[in-house]
Structures are given as C-alpha cells and as structure tokens.
Amino acid sequence: SSGINAEYGGLSEGEVADKDSSEEEEGEEKSEDDAPKVATSWKQWTPPSEYVEHVTEALNQHYTDNKQRDQYFEKKVKLRDAIQAIVMSNFGEGVLHLTGSSMSGFGTKNSDADMALVFDPHVSVIPKSKARKVIVRLAGSLRREAFCSNVETIFAKVPIIKLFDNISGCDVDININNLIGIKNSFLLRSISTLDERIPVFVIALKLWAKSWNINSAFHGTMSSYTLVNMVLYFLQIGLSPPLLPALKPYVDKLQGVNVNSQLQNYRPSEFIKFTVKNTEPVGALWVKFFYFWNKRFRQKKIFSVYSAKERLRNYNEHGLDIPSYAFVIEEPFQKDNIARSVQYNQFEEIKLRFSEMCRQMQGTVPFERMFGESKEERYDFGQGR
C-alpha cells in the first residue's frame, strides 16, 4: 500500500487538502449529525490493503462484465461499411468514420455507434446549408433500408442523423465533418492502450455516474467526455509517479493530420511515448480519484489535460472562462470548456455525490453498493455473460 501513502495531488500526508475560500472556517463547530465529514488528507485515512484488493478485484470483474464485446464492435464496423456504400451511391465521395466510445476503448456492451461523415478533411466546419442537404438526402436513403428504423434528422448546432440499427441493436448518431471527434477518438484509443487499468477505471466511472444520474449533459450534469477527462487529469497530476503525461505533443501532432488519408498510418498502441512507472492497483486509483476531485470541485480553476496543469479562473479567457460555468475542464483540441453543460444546481449534487463516495469508502463499503438505485440491469456485478 505504499502508493496509497505517497504524496497525493501535490499535498503531503500532513497537509490539509482543502485550503480554498469555500472551506469551513477554522474552529467552526459541527455536530455529529451534520453532512458527512470527509478526510482532507491521506494521513487521516489510509485504505486498508484488503479493501484496496476488494475494490481492485471488483473493478476488474466489472470491466469484464460490461466492456464492449468484440462481436458487438464487429457489427458496428459492418454497419459503418453498409452506410458507407449508401454514402457513395448518393454522393460519390465521403469517408464514414466510427468515433466515440466504440473506437476509444472506453465503450460498454451497450454503447451507441457514433459516426462522422467526412467530405473535406481540411475543414472542421462545412456550411450549414451543405450539411443540411447532406443530412436530408442521406436520411431519405437510410429510411428505405430494411436494417434502419427510427431515422430522424436533428438540425442543432451540429446537425446529425439518429437511427436504430435493427441488426446490431444499437443506436446510431451520424454527424458531418466532425474532424476533432475523429482525432479525439484516436487519442483516447491511444491512451486506453497505454495501461490496462485506464479502461477498467473509465468504464466503471461512467456507469457509476450514470447510476446516480450525474452523467447527462442534456440534464445539466457531466457528459461522458467530461468524466473521461477528469480521469485523465487525475492520472496526470493526482499520482506519483503519474500514469499519463501532458497531452500537448500528441494533440499538436494530430492537429495537422488528414483523417481520411493519414490517420490510419498511426498505431494507437505506439502513438504515446511514455513509460508507465506507476504500479498501484486500480482499486487504489479508484479511491484516490474521488478524494482528488472532492477537493478540486471547491476550487475555481481551469483544469487542462493538454498541459497537465491547473490555473485560476479570472474570467478573461474568451470562450473558456465564462462566469456562468460551474466547472471548467479545457478541451485539448479546441480549448473550450468540456464541462460547459454542468449547471450550478446540478454541480452541487455532483459535489455531494463525490463527498458521499469518500465517506462510504472510509466505511469500506463493498464496490457494488457504491452504485445508485437507478442503475439498469445491464450493469453487471460479477455475473459475466
């Protein structure tokens, strides 16, 4: 358990973790019936080795039970190929890419299939009029296909086609020319192959957050992409030694890559040049993660996986440091706020949930009892299928 006792998040064991303006005043008395108290430094609570072993074993089993199956991924590839043929028959050009969790290594056995149709690999945003014409025409063709059902078009900021694939049984979203999404999926895939603990951790966290209804950008909580970046940032600066480097050199390298003709020349397993020296069990990482963010949620900072650094918010950075943002994580490619969907009232619920997790783990709660009541049957706990 030496990793547990190591310096944590820039604080040594003897230091108190919460020194921002939102913490309680010194000497303020609290009754035993008040909100759960959470250890503010590792000196106050070191997880027993047998508890870390339990959480590690449970996380690995959870991953085995819930990860994306190879046969499910293969069905998505066949679906992509079928839609690619329809694209060519309609437009004579365009390359359809699988993106999102299907490709990142962080997909579950029920993950949707996100796809990006690229006509111009040099332009991230094509005119809305052109995108609309493509969406309408392609959706019309898909409606005539027996394998497609519930085909609909959504003309939001990013126009998409939504449909259900009757063969694979998955929901599908198709966007036009989202180059950043393709590059980001490749980067995340590279990260997921760096160390086997990373996908184990990410998939468990996504399903944990979903079980507590805090994994929905639509409802003002955290998107899955926000959760993934929270994990990455923790792996960069919350561990000693770190498990992940700053992403700057890899993002910069991908910025100029042609996704239609060059990206396939890179191998995800060889893309990130980093020797992992951290050997802590994934159960120890799981415990530390919640303490790490329980502290940082109360700090008005910008957290960047691009630089692996955090900086104070001063509300001067256009598009990123807007006062209305409850929580700010810098998107590595576009430098905007990944967590912009998080609303202040929902952020309070998120903070409460993380604080409660710290309290539960101090009580060595079994892993399966960490999940909320809203979890669906598809989340397996030691019942592999």
Side-chain angles (χ1 to χ4, degrees):
S1 61
S2 60
I4 293 291
N5 293 314
E7 286 196 356
Y8 179 68
L11 296 173
S12 64
E13 288 182 346
E15 290 181 289
V16 175
D18 302 305
K19 295 185 178 180
D20 57 281
S21 59
S22 63
E23 72 177 317
E24 295 162 5
E25 294 293 327
E26 283 189 28
E28 182 176 310
E29 295 186 2
K30 289 284 183 178
S31 71
E32 292 297 319
D33 295 326
D34 280 328
K37 295 178 177 61
V38 177
T40 53
S41 78
W42 283 104
K43 187 175 183 179
Q44 291 176 262
W45 183 65
T46 299
S49 59
E50 60 270 21
Y51 184 61
V52 172
E53 290 172 5
H54 158 71
V55 176
T56 296
E57 182 180 347
L59 281 165
N60 286 323
Q61 184 63 54
H62 183 269
Y63 176 70
T64 299
D65 294 337
N66 291 282
K67 68 178 180 178
Q68 178 174 254
R69 306 292 190 261
D70 290 341
Q71 58 268 32
Y72 188 45
F73 175 72
E74 290 165 4
K75 288 181 179 179
K76 292 179 180 179
V77 173
K78 291 180 179 178
L79 171 62
R80 188 270 313 275
D81 293 344
I83 298 177
Q84 174 70 65
I86 296 170
V87 167
M88 294 304 293
S89 67
N90 273 275
F91 308 105
E93 62 175 338
V95 178
L96 190 64
H97 299 259
L98 260 176
T99 64
S101 61
S102 298
M103 293 299 293
S104 69
F106 300 140
T108 67
K109 60 185 180 181
N110 299 98
S111 292
D112 297 345
D114 296 315
M115 302 185 189
L117 176 55
V118 177
F119 289 102
D120 188 343
H122 304 290
V123 180
S124 295
V125 180
I126 64 174
K128 281 190 176 182
S129 57
K130 180 178 180 180
R132 186 181 183 93
K133 289 178 181 178
V134 170
I135 290 285
V136 170
R137 184 172 176 180
L138 181 56
S141 295
L142 291 171
R143 289 189 180 100
R144 293 191 288 272
E145 299 293 333
F147 66 85
C148 296
S149 60
N150 302 328
V151 179
E152 59 179 316
T153 55
I154 299 177
F155 298 104
K157 181 179 180 181
V158 179
I160 61 172
I161 297 173
K162 296 182 74 71
L163 61 90
F164 180 78
D165 174 37
N166 298 320
I167 297 175
S168 66
C170 72
D171 293 305
V172 182
D173 286 358
I174 304 173
N175 65 66
I176 309 298
N177 252 68
N178 183 6
L179 306 185
I180 296 299
I182 298 169
K183 295 175 182 179
N184 187 53
S185 297
F186 177 85
L187 179 62
L188 293 180
R189 179 64 182 174
S190 301
I191 292 170
S192 74
T193 63
L194 191 64
D195 188 277
E196 62 185 7
R197 290 168 291 177
I198 298 176
V200 170
F201 192 116
V202 169
I203 287 177
L205 182 67
K206 287 167 62 176
L207 297 185
W208 172 85
K210 193 178 293 291
S211 80
W212 288 107
N213 298 315
I214 56 173
N215 177 210
S216 172
F218 181 79
H219 292 104
T221 60
M222 300 180 291
S223 67
S224 292
Y225 188 36
T226 297
L227 290 165
V228 169
N229 277 270
M230 288 171 63
V231 174
L232 302 188
Y233 188 70
F234 162 71
L235 298 178
Q236 289 172 330
I237 77 160
L239 300 173
S240 180
L243 211 158
L244 186 69
L247 299 184
K248 181 183 185 303
Y250 311 105
V251 171
D252 292 350
K253 188 172 185 178
L254 287 171
Q255 290 285 23
V257 169
N258 184 314
V259 299
N260 284 355
S261 63
Q262 296 177 319
L263 193 59
Q264 61 267 35
N265 297 330
Y266 295 98
R267 294 176 60 86
S269 59
E270 300 172 357
F271 187 67
I272 296 180
K273 308 298 182 184
F274 181 73
T275 301
V276 175
K277 297 181 180 179
N278 185 296
T279 59
E280 295 177 74
V282 68
L285 306 186
W286 179 261
V287 174
K288 285 187 175 185
F289 171 84
F290 286 95
Y291 277 81
F292 177 86
W293 282 109
N294 185 58
K295 167 200 167 184
R296 278 167 174 77
F297 276 155
R298 287 182 277 173
Q299 299 176 341
K300 289 291 185 179
K301 290 185 177 180
I302 295 170
F303 305 99
S304 172
V305 297
Y306 179 78
S307 63
K309 294 179 180 178
E310 54 196 54
R311 59 188 186 272
L312 289 173
R313 295 177 63 180
N314 55 24
Y315 307 111
N316 289 326
E317 296 185 55
H318 178 70
L320 184 65
D321 213 10
I322 298 173
S324 61
Y325 289 153
F327 184 41
V328 182
I329 299 182
E330 183 181 63
E331 206 283 329
F333 287 91
Q334 296 177 303
K335 307 299 187 296
D336 56 1
N337 182 17
I338 299 168
R340 59 185 175 274
S341 66
V342 178
Q343 302 299 308
Y344 273 94
N345 59 334
Q346 299 290 358
F347 191 43
E348 292 304 312
E349 177 61 29
I350 293 167
K351 289 190 288 186
L352 179 64
R353 185 48 49 202
F354 271 67
S355 178
E356 176 65 11
M357 268 291 285
C358 293
R359 186 192 67 82
Q360 286 184 312
M361 289 187 294
Q362 283 184 330
T364 61
V365 64
F367 177 76
E368 62 272 12
R369 285 176 53 196
M370 297 177 187
F371 286 69
E373 293 299 321
S374 64
K375 64 179 180 291
E376 301 175 26
E377 292 182 4
R378 66 186 187 189
Y379 305 159
D380 292 338
F381 296 92
Q383 300 173 5
R385 295 179 182 176

